[in-house]
Amino acid sequence: MTLLEICPSLRAGMSSPRLDSGVWPCDTHYDDLGRVTLGGVALSDVADQYGTPTYVLDESEVRRRCRAYRKHFPDAEIIYAAKALMIRSVAAWVAEEGLSVDVCSAGELTIALAAGVDPRRIVLHGSGKPFAELEAAVAAGVGRIVVDSLTEITLLAALATRPQQVLLRLSPDIDVHGHPAVRTGVTDQKFGFPLGSAQATEAVERILRQPMLHLVGLHCHLGSQIHDADFYGEAVRRMIAEMARIRREHGIRLPQLDLGGGHAVAYRGGDPEMSLPVLADIVEDALDAACSLHHFPRPRIAVEPGRAIVARAGVTLYRVMTVKHVQGGHTYVIVDGGMNDNPRVALYGARYDAVLVNRHPTGARMTATVAGRYCEAGDILAHDVILPADLRPGEVLAVPCTGAYHHSLASSYNGVGRPPIVAVTEGRSRPLIRRETPADLLARDLG
Ligand code: LLP
């Protein structure tokens, strides 16, 4: 099924070179003035009302993505990886759509609980969980804790006064060839235990010796931006073989297999992305084959998408501050945001598009580099994008596909506070997170 079939409204956008149906939210249109609208709201009106830079979030798109996961994985548990974007509204939306929530700190746990997420549907992750965070999680009654080290087993055993379900994180030695910063399925990295290693066996034994710790399954996370579903098929085969070995050696049958997240989204038109129907088929086939090979009863599968739920629902708005044509060099469009609200370009070499949204450009176009306002030469938002040649200061640019790992990675470098998040849906906008102000910066500064 193509995206155009899922969201026919995109057809309008297809007629213009400005919007690529692969990266914008489904409910993106033009109004009569040629302005780009999202969720029925003109983006330039959002910029006028809330200032810039501003993260805009399309609630319907978040819900649509949750439903797509539930449709394609009807028997699986879908766990939203909150690190992609954790604010109360998003936690509430995904919970309403039937998803569980994965948190990786006491802060994310607090937000999930404040949003009303049932603690039993919360999974706690982390490679170095502080004692106080484990304590908070156990006290809150979180459903499962993913054990990442031997130390953690000792701490949890000391903390749990009632049965606590745990998953054991293993690295199945699958190299998805991603950016080194986000390649987690290989053996030599900091997360979990290498599958088949003596430490993994020791971890299983230690958990089983603790009466309050109930080992309910295995977990793995292969990495980020994975578009080839075969990697997950291979993970299923290796993890089921390990579950069969644990049954043989320890006499317990684990009922859950969590395959982590990492499903790719397209940041620019033409980028490869994970196909949910293909992923579902491959996981299903691998599960059938591996379970029958090992005569192992099918565990319940869990997947942990973060980016694939929220990335496309987000668009960031910037105002053009100035346009500089460097003689013999590039044309720089300098905007009022940058690496504080989007560090992904500097961190991972991510590539984005940028589009003028306050009018429909009809004249000549230019190739430009959209650069930020911060005091670093590497503060770039988008390389080599096509923009109108008559672009002027004060106009509004939007960068699509910024819903995941933007707000959650944002900083207040150079004393510039983090942008607000404004939700748009059914023709209305409402602020979910307010802009961080100099007063907020001063409030933490004890002098
Ligand atoms: N589960 C676990 C255990 C994870 O560590 C992660 C992401 C996920 C699920 C969700 O992965 P997703 O579906 O969102 O790819 N800051 C980087 C991404 C770091 C991801 C870390 N772990 C970025 O901006 O690309």
Side-chain angles (χ1 to χ4, degrees), residues 47-97:
D48 288 347
Q49 188 175 345
Y50 299 94
T52 47
T54 285
Y55 300 117
V56 184
L57 194 62
D58 181 351
E59 175 180 345
S60 314
E61 185 72 23
V62 174
R63 292 184 183 274
R64 190 177 293 120
R65 297 296 295 166
C66 294
R67 286 174 201 164
Y69 269 93
R70 296 212 53 204
K71 177 174 154 225
H72 290 294
F73 297 89
D75 301 325
E77 181 181 9
I78 315 297
I79 308 177
Y80 171 62
K83 54 183 76 67
L85 174 61
M86 191 45 163
I87 61 172
R88 276 190 289 173
S89 312
V90 171
W93 300 340
V94 301
E96 280 162 22
E97 295 298 333

Side-chain angles (χ1 to χ4, degrees), residues 178-296:
H179 191 284
V182 287
R183 219 167 70 203
T184 49
V186 294
T187 301
D188 191 6
Q189 46 82 40
K190 68 173 182 162
F191 293 100
F193 303 87
L195 188 151
S197 64
Q199 300 102 301
T201 305
E202 163 125 33
V204 173
E205 280 168 3
R206 284 204 200 180
I207 295 171
L208 295 180
R209 279 205 297 271
Q210 295 302 330
M212 287 304 167
L213 302 186
H214 288 187
L215 182 60
V216 292
L218 298 184
H219 175 282
C220 65
H221 174 72
L222 305 181
S224 294
Q225 279 294 78
I226 303 168
H227 51 85
D228 182 350
D230 282 332
F231 287 120
Y232 292 90
E234 186 56 28
V236 168
R237 287 187 282 278
R238 294 187 189 192
M239 298 295 275
I240 295 287
E242 184 65 5
M243 289 168 111
R245 195 187 65 76
I246 290 174
R247 180 180 58 179
R248 246 187 350 264
E249 291 180 11
H250 304 278
I252 51 155
R253 180 183 69 78
L254 302 177
Q256 296 178 29
L257 174 56
D258 185 333
L259 296 172
H263 311 157
V265 304
Y267 281 91
R268 293 187 309 167
D271 285 355
E273 61 183 345
M274 177 61 79
S275 155
L276 293 191
V278 171
L279 177 64
D281 280 353
I282 285 181
V283 167
E284 192 63 23
D285 289 352
L287 204 54
D288 274 347
C291 288
S292 65
L293 177 68
H294 298 283
H295 304 290
F296 194 83

Side-chain angles (χ1 to χ4, degrees), residues 81 83 102 125 169 182 219 221 224 261-263 304-307 344 348 405 409:
K83 54 183 76 67
D102 133 23
H125 274 284
R169 178 160 177 171
V182 287
H219 175 282
H221 174 72
S224 294
H263 311 157
E304 295 177 338
R307 189 187 324 258
R344 298 193 69 261
Y348 318 113
Y405 304 109
L409 284 178

